[in-house]
Amino acid sequence: MVSNKATSDIVGKLWSLCNILKDDGVTFHQYVIELTYLLFLKMANETGSDTHIPQGSRWKDLVAKAAPVRLTHYKLLLVTVANSGSKQVKEIFANASTFIKKPATLSSLVTEIDKLDWYSVHREDLGDLYEGLLEKNANEKKSGAGQYFTPRVLIDSMVAVMKPSLADVIQDPAAGTGGFLIAANHYLRKNTDFEALTERQQQKYRKSTFTGMEHVQDTHRLALMNLMLHDIDGGIRYGDTLSPEGQELPQASLILTNPPFGAKKGGGLPSRTDLPFPTSNKQLAFLQLIYNGLKRGGRAAVILPDNVLFESNLGLDIRRDLMEKCNLHTILRLPTGIFYAQGVKTNVLFFTRGKRDSNNTKSVWVYDLRTNMPQFGKRKQLMKKHFEEFEIAFGDDPTGEAISARQDQGDQGRFRCFTREQIAQRGDSLDFSWLKDDLSINSEDLSEPAVLAQQAVNELEAALVELKNILDELNLEIES
């Protein structure tokens, strides 16, 4: 998402500075968090907005300190800013502490950041610069950050077909670093004449359009920094969406999200009280809170693993409830290998909340972007072009009404329609596959034994996750 060469160059230089911290035992993920504190101070200085930071704790004060005492000053600075800054600043610096142990390490980092040519980056590009850092962190296998980082091209495609509008309240209940909300913001700014908006309308946009929740504090601070640099005030709350805190999120007219997979830690049930079918299975719990959290006529695009499409017991009940309350008009079967350390195969479910709570899904169109596709990963990058045909097939109606009304109900190659009656005949399973795999398509990717071994590991991991979820559900039934 980095928008120009100057921004890209600075992203590269900032990322290369992590080498300074290697000898100090700082990990890649810790480095990005550390950099967030320093970049906040530096960018506040560059943009003239450091009035939100207490005097004595600003970037120029840190630079002015002698190298031997700078680390001591920095540690005190973090505590001071966390307790004395503006509300947003306090949230970004909440419980902040430094991973740096050696004074020389901090001094090298501060000196190098101060030397960068910040004048080459436009104010509106600072957010893209930070996004670039987050993306590099997610792509770095050793950082472990990819678990919450959805590929940007996938996010952009989901946003493009959902067509956010200024009238929307846009939510991500599993916000991560805010990628979905930032992409929606990019779409709106590109397709709206913001200069024609009144000051009141612009204030409403910045303060009330984007909502979400993130339960990992370090990830939450990254998300807040990300939103702030894109001129969005707050929006993402710190808390557990599967707890009563999540019930405080407002109803949304558009939900874009990639909720966590797997069982709830400890196997316990979510503590929020508004789920029709309580379950320790995170993806099934999130799916319920998403479709029940939509306003009437609200729409959603949600990334979910395959087991949601075919799992029995509570999974079956939840699918039926979804199809009753919403028009589940489209399922996009995603290629394999697009998530870091995720052997689980995934899909995007597109649905719209009905005006009433029954008989909303009449048919489901499934787009198969998995069969006869390459194994994506380091060797083969997922790109925008891979989603172009899907976006054309989806069309211009983000509500799904146009898709549901299509008369060409037969086989459309990768895009195929299944009526509600056909789904019922399959026991309400949504796990559709009709294309035959042509192994020659993947011959380049299957040529190396290491790739074959990794594919086998991925498939085994997926099977184990699915088995674990089934056992969790069976155990719950026995206990009840």
Side-chain angles (χ1 to χ4, degrees), residues 395-459:
D396 294 327
D397 178 13
T399 68
E401 290 182 13
I403 293 176
S404 299
R406 285 174 63 163
Q407 298 301 309
D408 49 344
Q409 300 288 298
D411 187 350
Q412 304 295 313
R414 288 193 179 273
F415 209 25
R416 186 168 184 174
C417 179
F418 298 87
T419 65
R420 185 67 185 87
E421 291 74 22
Q422 289 174 316
I423 295 169
Q425 290 169 6
R426 294 168 52 89
D428 284 331
S429 169
L430 296 168
D431 186 29
F432 296 107
S433 179
W434 64 95
L435 297 176
K436 292 184 178 180
D437 256 315
D438 179 0
L439 292 181
S440 65
I441 297 291
N442 293 326
S443 60
E444 179 184 350
D445 296 287
L446 297 175
S447 59
E448 295 182 12
V451 176
L452 280 170
Q454 185 58 54
Q455 286 181 333
V457 170
N458 288 346
E459 290 174 5

Side-chain angles (χ1 to χ4, degrees), residues 188-295:
L188 284 165
R189 291 190 177 276
K190 181 180 178 181
N191 293 280
T192 306
D193 182 7
F194 269 75
E195 292 186 1
L197 300 181
T198 64
E199 179 61 29
R200 185 175 180 179
Q201 288 173 320
Q202 293 194 24
Q203 284 288 330
K204 178 179 178 293
Y205 177 80
R206 286 196 296 269
K207 296 179 181 295
S208 306
T209 300
F210 304 97
T211 67
M213 186 163 281
E214 171 53 43
H215 78 289
V216 178
Q217 190 164 53
D218 280 339
T219 307
H220 178 246
R221 75 174 90 249
L222 299 181
L224 288 181
M225 178 77 165
N226 204 6
L227 264 62
M228 183 199 72
L229 290 172
H230 286 91
D231 201 24
I232 300 170
D233 296 336
I236 297 178
R237 306 180 189 183
Y238 173 52
D240 182 1
T241 314
L242 297 179
S243 77
E245 295 170 316
Q247 292 177 239
E248 298 174 7
L249 286 173
Q251 280 200 314
S253 59
L254 175 58
I255 295 179
L256 301 159
T257 189
N258 180 10
F261 302 163
K264 198 172 189 301
K265 193 173 182 181
L269 295 176
S271 57
R272 63 184 291 160
T273 58
D274 61 343
L275 299 182
F277 307 97
T279 171
S280 63
N281 181 308
K282 287 182 181 179
Q283 54 265 35
L284 290 177
F286 267 93
L287 177 56
Q288 292 178 78
L289 67 88
I290 289 164
Y291 67 75
N292 285 300
L294 282 174
K295 295 179 179 180

Side-chain angles (χ1 to χ4, degrees), residues 33-211:
I33 295 167
E34 196 80 57
L35 200 59
T36 296
Y37 305 142
L38 294 170
L39 285 182
F40 183 94
L41 298 172
K42 177 61 176 173
M43 290 177 178
N45 178 71
E46 292 294 326
T47 58
S49 56
D50 54 6
T51 53
H52 299 292
I53 303 169
Q55 288 193 17
S57 299
R58 299 172 183 173
W59 179 258
K60 61 182 181 182
D61 302 309
L62 183 63
V63 172
K65 293 294 178 182
V69 298
R70 190 174 281 147
L71 182 57
T72 301
H73 173 78
Y74 181 54
K75 291 177 180 177
L76 292 172
L77 178 155
L78 293 176
V79 175
T80 301
V81 174
N83 291 298
S84 306
S86 66
K87 180 183 176 182
Q88 192 172 17
V89 171
K90 285 180 181 178
E91 285 191 280
I92 292 175
F93 284 83
N95 298 315
S97 61
T98 181
F99 301 103
I100 298 173
K101 302 178 184 67
K102 301 173 184 175
T105 302
L106 176 65
S107 288
S108 296
L109 205 55
V110 169
T111 300
E112 292 301 317
I113 290 173
D114 206 45
K115 279 167 37 179
L116 293 175
D117 181 16
W118 294 95
Y119 293 104
S120 65
V121 180
H122 298 297
R123 172 66 181 86
E124 60 269 22
D125 290 331
L126 291 178
D128 288 349
L129 185 155
Y130 192 69
E131 275 279 281
L133 277 174
L134 295 178
E135 190 163 12
K136 275 190 172 292
N137 186 42
N139 290 334
E140 175 51 58
K141 188 174 181 181
K142 293 178 183 177
S143 80
Q147 61 184 315
Y148 60 79
F149 199 92
T150 310
R152 290 305 179 217
V153 289
L154 172 56
I155 290 178
D156 288 342
S157 183
M158 291 166 65
V159 169
V161 297
M162 285 289 94
K163 300 188 184 311
S165 75
L166 290 178
D168 278 319
V169 174
I170 305 170
Q171 184 184 111
D172 183 350
T177 56
F180 279 103
L181 301 184
I182 297 303
N185 172 63
H186 274 293
Y187 179 92
L188 284 165
R189 291 190 177 276
K190 181 180 178 181
N191 293 280
T192 306
D193 182 7
F194 269 75
E195 292 186 1
L197 300 181
T198 64
E199 179 61 29
R200 185 175 180 179
Q201 288 173 320
Q202 293 194 24
Q203 284 288 330
K204 178 179 178 293
Y205 177 80
R206 286 196 296 269
K207 296 179 181 295
S208 306
T209 300
F210 304 97
T211 67

